[in-house]
Amino acid sequence: MKGEILVRRGERLTPDTLGNLLSAGFQSVPVFAKPRVLFLPTGNELVPAGGVVPPGKNVESNSVMICAMLRRYGCQAAAGSIMPDDPVKLEAEILQGLRQSDMVVIGAGSSKGSKDFTMDVLENLGTVIVQELGVAPGKHCSLTVVEGKPVLGIPGPPGGARLIGQYYLQAAAQLLATGGPFHEAKQL
């Protein structure tokens, strides 16, 4: 019927919806591209999975977990190499990531340790919206807007990273995927 709503802005296009749109005479509709998200693991204590783990080091496992979550949430996800605890390198990698992605997620580095530089770097680059949450695990989580794009900081320990991923990362990904304030519609 004329004037009937077939699909709402931000709603996923299911096979049924596509059929209804075609039946109503629509051969194309504006859609939002899958958000591109880059995950950057940080920390001198991290080593890649699959090798010998020296004393005092931890296997970097969050890349696989966070990227799998992001894909489940409808994003194109990629992981960068392990970043050393170096503010100059971290800043350069964040800026490079933002040129290629819709959102950057940083793993760790926002705690209070002597080598945790993430928050200092983010304060220099953009506007910090959230610096810490009242949840455990996952307290050391942040949200910063840099060049109009979100940068989400998540905890390093996998339990906190998982919790933040399930709630805050999922919400941020859905906001991007449905045309939230950080994303523009694209005709595909």
Coordinates of all heavy atoms in Angstrom, one line a residue, residues 39 61-71 73 77 105 154 161-162 165 169:
F39 N 41.6 -3.0 15.3 CA 42.0 -3.3 16.7 C 43.5 -3.2 16.8 O 44.3 -3.8 16.0 CB 41.5 -4.7 17.1 CG 42.0 -5.0 18.5 CD1 41.3 -4.4 19.6 CD2 43.0 -5.9 18.7 CE1 41.7 -4.7 20.9 CE2 43.4 -6.3 20.0 CZ 42.8 -5.6 21.1
S61 N 45.9 -12.4 23.0 CA 44.7 -13.2 22.5 C 43.5 -12.3 22.2 O 42.6 -12.8 21.6 CB 44.4 -14.2 23.6 OG 44.0 -13.5 24.8
N62 N 43.6 -11.0 22.6 CA 42.4 -10.2 22.4 C 42.1 -9.9 20.9 O 40.9 -9.7 20.6 CB 42.5 -8.9 23.2 CG 42.3 -9.1 24.6 OD1 41.8 -10.1 25.1 ND2 42.8 -8.1 25.4
S63 N 43.1 -9.9 20.1 CA 42.9 -9.6 18.6 C 41.9 -10.6 18.0 O 40.9 -10.2 17.4 CB 44.2 -9.7 17.8 OG 45.0 -8.6 18.2
V64 N 42.1 -11.9 18.3 CA 41.2 -12.9 17.7 C 39.8 -12.7 18.3 O 38.8 -12.7 17.6 CB 41.8 -14.3 18.0 CG1 40.7 -15.4 17.6 CG2 43.1 -14.5 17.2
M65 N 39.7 -12.5 19.6 CA 38.4 -12.4 20.3 C 37.7 -11.2 19.8 O 36.5 -11.2 19.4 CB 38.6 -12.4 21.8 CG 37.3 -12.2 22.6 SD 37.5 -12.2 24.3 CE 38.5 -10.8 24.7
I66 N 38.3 -10.0 19.9 CA 37.7 -8.7 19.5 C 37.3 -8.7 18.1 O 36.2 -8.3 17.7 CB 38.5 -7.5 19.9 CG1 38.7 -7.5 21.5 CG2 38.0 -6.2 19.4 CD1 37.4 -7.4 22.2
C67 N 38.2 -9.2 17.2 CA 37.8 -9.2 15.7 C 36.6 -10.1 15.4 O 35.8 -9.8 14.6 CB 39.0 -9.5 14.9 SG 40.2 -8.1 14.8
A68 N 36.6 -11.2 16.1 CA 35.5 -12.2 15.9 C 34.2 -11.5 16.4 O 33.1 -11.6 15.8 CB 35.7 -13.5 16.7
M69 N 34.2 -10.8 17.5 CA 33.0 -10.1 18.0 C 32.6 -9.0 17.0 O 31.4 -8.9 16.7 CB 33.3 -9.4 19.4 CG 33.4 -10.3 20.5 SD 33.8 -9.3 22.0 CE 33.4 -10.5 23.3
L70 N 33.6 -8.3 16.5 CA 33.2 -7.2 15.6 C 32.6 -7.8 14.3 O 31.6 -7.2 13.8 CB 34.5 -6.4 15.2 CG 35.0 -5.5 16.3 CD1 36.4 -5.0 16.0 CD2 34.1 -4.3 16.4
R71 N 33.1 -8.9 13.8 CA 32.5 -9.5 12.6 C 31.0 -9.9 13.0 O 30.1 -9.8 12.1 CB 33.3 -10.7 12.2 CG 34.6 -10.2 11.5 CD 35.4 -11.3 10.9 NE 36.8 -10.8 10.6 CZ 37.8 -11.0 11.3 NH1 37.8 -11.7 12.4 NH2 39.0 -10.5 11.0
Y73 N 29.1 -8.5 15.0 CA 28.3 -7.3 15.1 C 28.2 -6.6 13.7 O 27.6 -5.5 13.7 CB 29.0 -6.3 16.1 CG 29.2 -6.9 17.5 CD1 30.2 -6.4 18.2 CD2 28.4 -7.9 18.0 CE1 30.4 -6.9 19.5 CE2 28.6 -8.4 19.3 CZ 29.6 -7.9 20.0 OH 29.8 -8.4 21.3
A77 N 36.6 -6.3 10.3 CA 37.5 -6.1 11.4 C 38.9 -6.5 10.9 O 39.1 -7.5 10.2 CB 37.1 -6.9 12.6
V105 N 39.9 0.5 17.9 CA 39.8 0.0 19.2 C 41.2 -0.3 19.7 O 42.0 -1.0 19.0 CB 39.0 -1.3 19.2 CG1 38.9 -1.9 20.6 CG2 37.6 -1.1 18.7
I154 N 39.9 -0.5 25.4 CA 39.4 -1.6 26.2 C 40.5 -2.1 27.1 O 41.7 -1.9 26.8 CB 38.8 -2.7 25.3 CG1 39.9 -3.4 24.4 CG2 37.7 -2.2 24.4 CD1 39.4 -4.6 23.7
A161 N 38.2 -7.4 28.6 CA 38.0 -7.1 27.2 C 36.7 -7.7 26.6 O 36.0 -7.1 25.9 CB 39.2 -7.6 26.4
R162 N 36.5 -8.9 27.1 CA 35.3 -9.6 26.7 C 34.0 -8.9 27.1 O 33.1 -8.7 26.4 CB 35.3 -11.1 27.2 CG 34.0 -11.9 26.8 CD 34.0 -13.3 27.3 NE 34.2 -13.3 28.8 CZ 33.3 -13.1 29.7 NH1 32.1 -12.7 29.3 NH2 33.5 -13.2 31.0
G165 N 33.6 -5.8 25.3 CA 33.2 -6.1 23.9 C 31.8 -6.4 23.8 O 31.1 -6.1 22.8
L169 N 31.4 -2.3 23.0 CA 31.9 -2.4 21.6 C 30.7 -2.8 20.7 O 30.6 -2.2 19.6 CB 33.0 -3.4 21.5 CG 33.6 -3.7 20.2 CD1 34.2 -2.4 19.6 CD2 34.7 -4.7 20.3

